[in-house]
Amino acid sequence: MAASDADAPLSFPVISMEKLETEERGAAMEVIRDACENWGFFELLNHGISHELMDEVERVTKAHYAECREHKFQEFAARTLEAGEKGADVKDVDWESTFFVRHLPASNLADLPDLDDHYRRVMKEFATEIEKLAERLLDILCENLGLEQGYLKKAFAGSGGLPTFGTKVSSYPPCPRPDLVDGLRAHTDAGGVILLFQDDQVSGLQLLKDGRWVDVPPMRHAVVVNVGDQLEVITNGRYKSVMHRVRTRADGNRMSIASFYNPGADAVIFPAKELVAGKEKKEGVKEEEVYPRFVFEDYMDLYVRHKFEAKEPRFQAMKSSAAVVVDAPIATA
């Protein structure tokens, strides 16, 4: 296993979005470029979502766990610890309490049990702000990549013109035996761009960089952004999705609210022609050697079976079936 890297002299990429409106824009864009290409993660400050809203999201989320989910989790925890201490392998278990909210193409917020009306209103408002931030980010990434404005949003749109957009709300309670089980096993994210509002008091999220695990630092009112597999494909490998995990801790209950701005189910995903051409010219890479073309839901069908494995065999499997995928229906100019 790779060694922990908490003390390594690495500067985790942090960007204040306010700088994008100043003479420091060029430097900020360079940090984003480097982060997407070499880290797969970066952290945003001054992103436009009000601190008051974020504080309320945190308050009601932690209260909801304590009132509605903690008892059930403790039952799971007792079974898992008992099995692990008796010698059973519990490495395929995640030490987390989770529920999912779907926003687009159709919301299921009203149908989720145990959420009071106030929590629903707060989550709806937060999702609206996160969606706007995700779309702003996609245009920033288009600029960084030299793609036309709106290219990535169009690439993510399914036949109904909408992405798949949802939120995973997680708690990672304290674990008395962190040596037995991870909070969340190492994986890359299948989708497009992921925006995370994480606990600023309890750490645990790590990414794999240059063979070592690096902490994603908790920062108050920050939004952590990471690159999903689909952005790696669309950018023809210029951006990289990276393995990441959540470590258990003996103290603290870590909150994680991860929103996934993903392609629509029937969106056809393929490398942007401008980036393929650029790579061919620069590196002599032949077109048949680049990332595959596939339908997003087909990739997801494979991903759910192989989430905690390397991404490269998934790409190769999609490449093997790429010949049956029709031309993509998005504009390129």
Side-chain angles (χ1 to χ4, degrees), residues 51-67 116 118-119 121-123 197 199-200 220 255 257:
H51 292 179
E52 292 77 14
L53 176 58
M54 299 182 82
D55 288 343
E56 185 63 4
V57 169
E58 180 175 359
R59 186 189 72 78
V60 296
T61 297
K62 290 183 174 180
H64 176 261
Y65 171 78
E67 294 168 10
D116 61 34
H118 178 66
Y119 195 6
R121 287 194 299 271
V122 169
M123 288 302 291
F197 174 28
D199 202 299
D200 69 299
R220 187 70 175 159
M255 179 199 73
I257 301 176

Side-chain angles (χ1 to χ4, degrees), residues 94-95 172-175 177-184 203-204 246-251:
D94 298 313
W95 188 271
Y172 296 95
C175 177
R177 290 291 306 276
D179 56 305
L180 284 180
V181 59
D182 276 333
L184 180 60
S203 63
V246 177
R247 302 295 284 165
T248 47
R249 293 172 46 122
D251 61 336

Side-chain angles (χ1 to χ4, degrees), residues 143-300:
E143 180 180 345
N144 237 323
L145 291 161
L147 298 173
E148 65 171 342
Q149 289 295 291
Y151 181 96
L152 290 173
K153 184 177 179 180
K154 286 186 240 179
F156 284 14
S159 59
L162 294 173
T164 303
F165 176 50
T167 297
K168 176 186 177 186
V169 180
S170 301
S171 295
Y172 296 95
C175 177
R177 290 291 306 276
D179 56 305
L180 284 180
V181 59
D182 276 333
L184 180 60
R185 289 163 284 166
H187 63 287
T188 65
D189 287 330
V193 61
I194 299 86
L195 293 87
L196 168 68
F197 174 28
Q198 67 167 344
D199 202 299
D200 69 299
Q201 297 296 316
V202 184
S203 63
L205 178 61
Q206 296 181 325
L207 64 89
L208 190 62
K209 179 170 173 56
D210 301 327
R212 297 190 295 177
W213 289 104
V214 179
D215 291 333
V216 177
M219 298 181 68
R220 187 70 175 159
H221 298 133
V223 171
V224 177
V225 179
N226 72 282
V227 171
D229 293 350
Q230 307 310 301
L231 271 183
E232 179 167 335
V233 172
I234 293 170
T235 66
N236 200 36
R238 183 177 300 185
Y239 290 177
K240 295 291 193 296
S241 64
V242 300
M243 296 290 281
H244 53 284
R245 68 183 184 184
V246 177
R247 302 295 284 165
T248 47
R249 293 172 46 122
D251 61 336
N253 185 353
R254 177 177 175 268
M255 179 199 73
S256 167
I257 301 176
S259 295
F260 298 81
Y261 192 102
N262 293 344
D266 62 354
V268 180
I269 302 302
F270 61 97
K273 292 179 181 178
E274 296 87 342
L275 301 181
V276 173
K279 190 165 187 176
E280 286 181 344
K281 183 176 180 180
K282 182 178 179 181
E283 301 178 19
V285 177
K286 296 180 181 179
E287 187 164 359
E288 63 265 27
E289 295 175 341
V290 300
Y291 289 79
R293 175 188 297 253
F294 52 83
V295 175
F296 178 60
E297 64 181 347
D298 292 342
Y299 186 86
M300 287 302 300

Side-chain angles (χ1 to χ4, degrees), residues 292-293 313-324:
R293 175 188 297 253
R314 298 195 295 264
F315 293 151
Q316 187 59 45
M318 290 292 100
K319 185 180 292 188
S320 298
S321 60
V324 302

Side-chain angles (χ1 to χ4, degrees), residues 4-192:
S4 180
D5 179 46
D7 298 323
L10 294 171
S11 180
F12 191 88
V14 179
I15 299 103
S16 172
M17 291 192 74
E18 288 182 339
K19 292 184 177 180
L20 294 172
E21 310 302 326
T22 71
E23 67 278 359
E24 297 182 73
R25 178 181 178 84
M29 292 289 279
E30 176 59 22
V31 173
I32 293 173
R33 182 204 61 76
D34 179 71
C36 291
E37 293 182 5
N38 297 309
W39 289 78
F41 274 75
F42 56 93
E43 207 149 0
L44 290 178
L45 300 173
N46 302 311
H47 40 65
I49 302 176
S50 78
H51 292 179
E52 292 77 14
L53 176 58
M54 299 182 82
D55 288 343
E56 185 63 4
V57 169
E58 180 175 359
R59 186 189 72 78
V60 296
T61 297
K62 290 183 174 180
H64 176 261
Y65 171 78
E67 294 168 10
C68 302
R69 304 188 65 86
E70 185 171 19
H71 178 71
K72 185 176 181 180
F73 180 83
Q74 292 303 328
E75 295 174 354
F76 155 82
R79 292 194 305 270
T80 301
L81 289 173
E82 182 180 7
E85 289 170 352
K86 288 180 177 179
D89 184 0
V90 293
K91 290 299 183 183
D92 61 347
V93 175
D94 298 313
W95 188 271
E96 63 174 356
S97 172
T98 293
F99 68 93
F100 296 87
V101 184
R102 186 178 65 247
H103 309 302
L104 294 173
S107 174
N108 70 342
L109 188 57
D111 303 325
L112 294 175
D114 301 327
L115 303 188
D116 61 34
D117 289 342
H118 178 66
Y119 195 6
R120 294 181 206 274
R121 287 194 299 271
V122 169
M123 288 302 291
K124 184 177 181 180
E125 182 180 356
F126 184 66
T128 298
E129 294 301 311
I130 286 286
E131 182 185 0
K132 288 191 293 188
L133 178 58
E135 293 181 349
R136 182 183 174 194
L137 271 172
L138 289 180
D139 276 342
I140 289 171
L141 298 183
C142 283
E143 180 180 345
N144 237 323
L145 291 161
L147 298 173
E148 65 171 342
Q149 289 295 291
Y151 181 96
L152 290 173
K153 184 177 179 180
K154 286 186 240 179
F156 284 14
S159 59
L162 294 173
T164 303
F165 176 50
T167 297
K168 176 186 177 186
V169 180
S170 301
S171 295
Y172 296 95
C175 177
R177 290 291 306 276
D179 56 305
L180 284 180
V181 59
D182 276 333
L184 180 60
R185 289 163 284 166
H187 63 287
T188 65
D189 287 330

